[in-house]
Amino acid sequence: MDFSRLPRHIAVIMDGNGRWAKARGLPRTAGHAAGAETFRTIATYCREIGIEYLTVYAFSTENWKRPAQEVSAIMGLLKKYLLEAVRDMEKEKVRFVFFGDLTPLPPELRELCRAVQRDSAGFEGCQVNICINYGGRDELVRAAQIFAAECAAGKREPEELTEKALSGYLWSTGLPDPELVIRPGGEKRISNFLLWQSAYSEFYFADVNWPDFSKEELRRAIAAYQSRSRRFGGI
Ligand code: FPP
């Protein structure tokens, strides 16, 4: 891995927690707990090596279909993680941003997310975007609705909707697109993650489950990205 050519923005689909747990005869929730620790390790490492933005898929708009007990375990882990992030905020200097509509979350978690985003807004370390109740299609529908409402109110004209303008209505407004999207767990699909933003991302699929993903795996993913020729439709 070449430290002088790091991607500015890395996105991760943290997949395989359930299978990791099953392989060990543990409940799925133990896999999510191990996954939360991996997230901590990877986020810290990204900050240390100078990655500017890390976006992780913690809970999708489709994950509500899971058994209530698993949903509530993931919400509990998020709360635990964020409380620890509050404790370590001054030391870590990570800026947290949440992508997704937080309205349906348990009220305590929702307020915690808002407080963490507000209180970390001034930090200049890595920006960590945590996607909760996030879906790429949902994000685009919301953007279309907001723009349509602005048109109906006479504030905007339909032809003003350029690619740049539409980007401004997404949760990721103002951020560079991820150069690298990593999916551990062996599956090779996008699962409704950053559909707009990943138009020209390089994908890296790792066979290890997320709880086994390590700094070394991340370096391998970055090295693979650095070895690719990115043409953005040109030659
Ligand atoms: C996908 O694995 C993982 C999730 C749906 C939840 C991810 C949540 C965490 C890592 C914990 C909390 C997050 C943070 C940011 C502290 P899966 O359950 O689909 O695994 P499987 O495909 O093996 O069943």
Side-chain angles (χ1 to χ4, degrees), residues 14-19 28 32 35-36 39 56-58 63 66 70 74 77-78 81 130 210:
M14 305 186 288
D15 193 25
N17 296 343
R19 278 164 288 158
R28 291 178 57 80
H32 296 312
F39 167 63
V56 293
Y57 208 5
N63 285 152
R66 294 187 177 209
E70 181 170 340
I74 294 174
L77 283 166
L78 281 163
Y81 180 87
I130 304 184
W210 174 246

Side-chain angles (χ1 to χ4, degrees), residues 125-199:
C126 180
Q127 175 168 323
V128 174
N129 307 305
I130 304 184
C131 301
I132 308 180
N133 189 30
Y134 171 88
R137 288 184 172 183
D138 179 73
E139 180 178 39
L140 288 163
V141 167
R142 275 165 200 279
Q145 285 177 346
I146 300 169
F147 182 74
E150 289 180 1
C151 287
K155 291 189 208 148
R156 290 281 217 161
E157 294 297 330
E159 47 291 354
E160 290 176 37
L161 192 64
T162 57
E163 291 187 10
K164 186 162 180 279
L166 197 145
S167 296
Y169 291 95
L170 304 179
W171 299 109
S172 56
T173 178
L175 267 55
D177 288 337
E179 295 96 327
L180 173 61
V181 176
I182 300 174
R183 181 168 191 153
E187 310 284 8
K188 294 183 176 61
R189 52 177 170 262
I190 187 132
S191 299
N192 205 11
F193 187 48
L194 303 179
L195 296 182
W196 174 274
Q197 299 86 341
S198 65

